[in-house]
């Protein structure tokens, strides 16, 4: 673009001075318009490619990732060490991929831009090219460092963001919890907790933001100084005729544009690439997790007819816990009767349900359905036997009938 602009300016000047005929303006104008048109086409093509990538992510990759997560053993879902990773991988896939792609293109565009300016100048004034190269390298390093700092700050604040987002989205702003908040009067306490986590997150980000934005401005100002030095250095060659006015204008314009890219755009690119690497690490971790192959199978249309379910001396503790939730539990549930498990928080009521529905299979003792080990039944059979509403359930904005039928896929 700088070369075509310079050629057009030089042609206009030569025509004005009478060194060229007016007809020469058409070629210069055609080249300039062609370059501009080419850039517009490339930008539109890039937008089209991004749309295609988004379509592929939404319709091919994301469903595959969700299916992989759905088959992951339930012990990972309840493990706090993996909850954040599992949530990020499915929620931020499209944004992470697109931001990473644009970041790499920004870096490539910057390298090409600086290289083009150096190549143009090296034939005319080699020492100016060397000056730009020497000053550009530390500015790039500073921008990369600042971007890395922004990325690390985001990682540090993510744990606080998850907590205060839960407070705001799931409790304070959730209409389903309105009556509960009024009844138990805990709104003020949740508000205090929300602002505490939000304040911690904001302070971390603000501290890094002030430092990196200062460096961003410093980087941009430094490159503008380089542009001024380069412009002053090119005046004598311009007067002596070693370079043309068009080349001078093109180089200065390109350098001014580079100051913006080497400032905040380079920082954002580095941060986004860091986030993409973290995302890929998380995706790899999920793919390598133990899974249940038939976890997504639809329930059988007809459940098996059973006479009794037995717990025989069952011991169970959750992963990463040293204490048993169930200690030698034994009981029998007979078909046709109603039962209620009553106990304090942590007594193991929900744990019994999780073992019955096959969410956990790592326990000691026996759980039998008509004398057959429950672990020998496939997921489709277990799903046809049980209907469960846990404490953390989802209620969608559809009819009660449709909410119930969402979990009844095995029937017509």
């Amino acid at each position: 673009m700088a070369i075509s602009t310079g050629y057009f300016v030089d042609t206009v000047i030569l025509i004005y001075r009478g060194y060229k005929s007016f007809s020469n303006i058409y070629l210069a104008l055609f080249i300039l318009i062609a370059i501009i048109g080419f850039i517009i086409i490339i930008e539109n093509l890039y937008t089209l490619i991004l749309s295609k990538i988004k379509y592929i992510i939404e319709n091919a990759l994301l469903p595959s990732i969700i299916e992989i997560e759905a088959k992951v053993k339930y012990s990972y879902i309840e493990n706090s060490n993996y909850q954040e990773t599992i949530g990020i991988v499915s929620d931020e896939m499209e944004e992470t991929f697109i931001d990473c792609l644009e970041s790499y293109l920004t870096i490539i565009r910057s390298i090409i831009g600086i290289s083009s300016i150096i190549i143009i100048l090296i034939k005319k004034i080699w020492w100016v090219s060397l000056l730009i190269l020497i000053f550009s390298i530390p500015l790039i390093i500073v921008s990369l460092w600042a971007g890395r700092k922004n990325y690390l700050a985001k990682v540090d604040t993510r744990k606080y963001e998850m907590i205060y987002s839960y407070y705001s989205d799931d409790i304070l702003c959730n209409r389903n919890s309105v009556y509960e908040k009024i009844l138990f009067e805990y709104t003020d306490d949740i508000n205090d907790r929300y602002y505490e986590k939000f304040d911690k997150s904001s302070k971390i980000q603000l501290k890094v933001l002030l430092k990196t934005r200062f460096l961003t401005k410093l980087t941009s100002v430094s490159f503008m100084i380089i542009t001024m030095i380069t412009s002053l250095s090119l005046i004598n060659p311009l007067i002596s005729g070693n370079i043309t006015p068009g080349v001078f204008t093109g180089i200065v314009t390109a350098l001014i544009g580079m100051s913006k890219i080497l400032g905040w755009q380079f920082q954002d690119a580095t941060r986004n690439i860091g986030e993409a690497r973290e995302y890929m690490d998380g995706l790899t971790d999920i793919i390598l997790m133990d899974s249940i192959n038939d976890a997504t199978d639809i329930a059988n249309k007809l459940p098996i007819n059973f006479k009794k379910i037995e717990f025989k001396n069952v011991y169970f503790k959750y992963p990463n816990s040293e204490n048993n939730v169930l200690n030698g539990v034994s009981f029998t549930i007979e078909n046709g009767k109603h039962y209620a498990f009553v106990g304090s928080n942590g007594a193991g009521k929900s744990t019994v349900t999780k073992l019955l529905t096959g969410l956990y299979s790592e326990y000691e003792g026996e759980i039998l359905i008509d004398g057959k080990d429950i672990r020998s039944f496939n997921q489709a059979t277990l799903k046809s036997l049980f209907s469960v509403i846990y404490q953390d359930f989802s209620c969608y904005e559809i009819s009660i009938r449709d909410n119930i039928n969402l979990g009844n896929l095995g029937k017509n």
Side-chain angles (χ1 to χ4, degrees):
M1 185 67 184
I3 296 175
S4 60
T5 303
Y7 178 68
F8 178 78
V9 171
D10 290 337
T11 302
V12 171
I13 292 175
L14 291 174
I15 292 173
Y16 177 77
R17 293 178 177 177
Y19 295 112
K20 283 187 176 183
S21 63
F22 186 80
S23 59
N24 288 285
I25 193 68
Y26 297 117
L27 176 60
L29 184 60
F30 172 79
I31 293 174
L32 181 61
I33 294 175
I35 295 295
I36 294 174
F38 177 76
I39 293 174
I40 294 174
I41 291 173
I42 292 297
E43 289 177 350
N44 290 332
L45 183 62
Y46 173 68
T47 302
L48 182 63
I49 293 173
L50 280 185
S51 300
K52 182 65 176 178
I53 292 174
K54 290 180 180 179
Y55 177 82
I56 293 173
I57 291 174
E58 292 175 355
N59 294 275
L61 292 180
L62 188 56
S64 300
I65 297 302
I66 292 175
E67 184 175 2
I68 291 173
E69 290 184 341
K71 292 182 177 181
V72 165
K73 279 193 172 183
Y74 193 73
S75 56
Y76 293 107
I77 306 297
E78 287 199 322
N79 190 325
S80 59
N81 295 327
Y82 298 104
Q83 287 174 350
E84 180 183 340
T85 299
I86 293 174
I88 289 173
V89 165
S90 57
D91 294 341
E92 301 183 5
M93 186 177 193
E94 178 182 325
E95 178 185 354
T96 302
F97 270 70
I98 298 301
D99 287 346
C100 182
L101 175 61
E102 292 181 338
S103 298
Y104 274 114
L105 290 176
T106 296
I107 293 175
I108 292 172
R109 188 167 64 247
S110 302
I111 294 173
I112 292 175
I114 293 175
S115 301
S116 300
I117 295 172
I118 291 175
I119 291 173
I120 293 172
L121 285 175
I122 202 167
K123 297 179 180 179
K124 306 290 183 179
I125 314 170
W126 65 268
W127 61 270
V128 175
S129 303
L130 184 62
L131 180 68
I132 294 174
L133 181 62
I134 291 173
F135 276 93
S136 297
I137 292 175
L139 293 180
I140 291 174
I141 293 174
V142 168
S143 293
L144 293 174
W145 175 86
R148 176 69 177 170
K149 282 292 184 181
N150 279 324
Y151 161 68
L152 293 176
K154 184 172 182 178
V155 172
D156 290 340
T157 58
R158 184 172 290 155
K159 57 184 178 182
Y160 300 115
E161 290 177 352
M162 289 185 65
I163 296 173
Y164 74 66
S165 295
Y166 169 73
Y167 288 150
S168 63
D169 298 343
D170 294 355
I171 302 178
L172 296 175
C173 299
N174 189 343
R175 69 177 186 177
N176 292 326
S177 62
V178 170
Y179 297 113
E180 184 179 333
K181 287 185 290 185
I182 295 173
L183 178 63
F184 295 104
E185 298 180 345
Y186 59 73
T187 302
D188 291 339
D189 180 62
I190 297 298
N191 271 329
D192 292 339
R193 296 186 186 189
Y194 169 83
Y195 283 114
E196 178 191 356
K197 301 301 181 184
F198 182 83
D199 188 55
K200 287 183 178 179
S201 174
S202 300
K203 285 181 178 178
I204 293 173
Q205 291 188 342
L206 182 61
K207 181 179 178 181
V208 175
L209 182 65
L210 291 175
K211 185 183 296 184
T212 54
R213 288 310 176 193
F214 171 76
L215 288 173
T216 301
K217 293 297 182 182
L218 183 61
T219 301
S220 300
V221 170
S222 299
F223 207 87
M224 289 301 295
I225 293 174
I226 294 174
T227 302
M228 291 177 61
I229 295 174
T230 303
S231 302
L232 293 173
S233 303
L234 292 175
I235 290 177
N236 285 333
L238 176 64
I239 295 174
S240 62
N242 289 331
I243 61 171
T244 63
V247 172
F248 176 84
T249 304
I251 291 173
V252 173
T253 303
L255 286 173
I256 293 173
M258 289 303 301
S259 65
K260 179 180 179 182
I261 295 176
L262 288 178
W264 60 270
Q265 287 187 9
F266 230 75
Q267 289 188 28
D268 289 345
T270 307
R271 183 194 62 199
N272 292 337
I273 291 172
E275 291 176 1
R277 288 175 179 172
E278 183 188 27
Y279 178 90
M280 293 306 298
D281 290 340
L283 178 59
T284 302
D285 290 341
I286 291 176
I287 292 174
L288 295 177
M289 288 178 182
D290 297 329
S291 60
I292 301 173
N293 293 328
D294 60 345
T296 55
D297 289 355
I298 296 175
N300 294 334
K301 292 185 178 180
L302 295 175
I304 61 173
N305 292 318
F306 69 93
K307 294 181 179 180
K308 63 180 180 179
I309 298 175
E310 297 176 274
F311 270 57
K312 289 186 175 182
N313 201 31
V314 174
Y315 290 83
F316 175 79
K317 62 181 178 181
Y318 286 99
N320 301 325
S321 175
E322 297 181 358
N323 300 320
N324 285 329
V325 178
L326 302 179
N327 286 284
V329 173
S330 298
F331 59 83
T332 300
I333 296 176
E334 296 181 359
N335 192 4
K337 296 184 178 180
H338 298 279
Y339 297 85
F341 291 89
V342 180
S344 60
N345 289 338
K349 304 183 297 297
S350 297
T351 302
V352 170
T353 306
K354 292 173 183 177
L355 295 181
L356 282 173
T357 53
L359 295 180
Y360 285 99
S361 58
E362 297 81 9
Y363 56 85
E364 298 178 18
E366 293 180 295
I367 302 176
L368 307 174
I369 300 179
D370 288 343
K372 187 177 179 180
D373 193 329
I374 196 172
R375 286 176 285 205
S376 64
F377 292 90
N378 58 37
Q379 290 292 311
T381 301
L382 291 177
K383 289 177 182 178
S384 68
L385 278 174
F386 301 101
S387 298
V388 186
I389 298 178
Y390 287 104
Q391 292 165 316
D392 295 328
F393 64 91
S394 296
C395 183
Y396 301 100
E397 297 297 326
I398 53 179
S399 67
I400 294 176
R401 178 188 182 92
D402 289 337
N403 266 287
I404 294 172
N405 283 334
L406 283 174
N408 200 24
L409 299 177
K411 296 186 176 181
N412 295 328

